[in-house]
Amino acid sequence: MKNINFKYLYRRTEQLLMVPETVWPEALNETNSGKELYRNYLIPITMVISIMVLLINLINYNFWQATGLTIINLIAMLIGNWFAYLITREYLCRKLSFDTNLALNLTVYSGVIFIIFHSIGNALGNIFTLLSFTFIRTLYKGLGQIPRLHPGQKTNILVISSLAIICIPVIINQLLMIIFGISAFNI
């Protein structure tokens, strides 16, 4: 993580949250590979959020429980985002013949907004989790920047991607909690 530009990560994420219409034209034209985008953007942000989640979890749980919950959250968010990308790519690239990077950028950049608020909201255990739905606005603004996307297709990809970004990490999180014997009702 020594080559990570945290100032850039913060600025890009803040712009995606506050003024997505200004950052999407540049973000959608990036040609990073999935490996580069994950390594240079998604993983560092998810790691920082995981550290925050660990610190919040330490208030309510012992060290091992807090660490376990944090690791499960980290794994669920990263793998869930990857599967959300695959689903988005299937529709956007295979059915509508758009570039693979377009699906990758849409999923990763809007998914980061979900990961931030959902992870912290889960750790706090309050209504803060509802703020995670702000990623839908970010995704919607990104889809609005794609010129050849018809309104019906825009609606379809918005629903498909949103459901994938929301549901897949949550399902993976719950499955991992079951596998490791952590009660979902205590959390």
Side-chain angles (χ1 to χ4, degrees), residues 13 16 24 37-38 41-42 45-46 49 77-78 80-82 84-85 88 103-119 132-136 138-139 161-162 164-166 169:
T13 306
L16 284 166
W24 273 120
L37 191 57
Y38 268 70
Y41 188 74
L42 183 68
I45 288 178
T46 307
I49 294 302
M77 292 301 142
L78 290 175
N81 191 275
W82 178 255
Y85 156 67
T88 302
L104 178 69
N105 294 340
L106 281 169
T107 308
V108 169
Y109 287 130
S110 58
V112 160
I113 304 301
F114 175 78
I115 289 169
I116 291 169
F117 289 109
H118 184 76
S119 297
S132 64
F133 292 112
T134 59
F135 88 93
I136 295 172
T138 304
L139 179 60
S161 294
S162 295
I165 290 170
I166 294 168

Side-chain angles (χ1 to χ4, degrees), residues 77-148:
M77 292 301 142
L78 290 175
I79 293 173
N81 191 275
W82 178 255
F83 280 117
Y85 156 67
L86 294 176
I87 290 170
T88 302
R89 183 186 71 183
E90 189 64 33
Y91 182 78
L92 194 61
C93 302
R94 301 252 165 81
K95 184 168 174 45
L96 301 179
S97 301
F98 283 95
D99 184 40
T100 304
N101 280 340
L102 190 65
L104 178 69
N105 294 340
L106 281 169
T107 308
V108 169
Y109 287 130
S110 58
V112 160
I113 304 301
F114 175 78
I115 289 169
I116 291 169
F117 289 109
H118 184 76
S119 297
I120 293 172
N122 273 347
L124 290 173
N126 63 23
I127 202 154
F128 192 76
T129 307
L130 289 176
L131 290 176
S132 64
F133 292 112
T134 59
F135 88 93
I136 295 172
R137 175 181 171 262
T138 304
L139 179 60
Y140 179 79
K141 295 290 185 176
L143 290 170
Q145 299 291 326
I146 304 171
R148 296 184 343 217

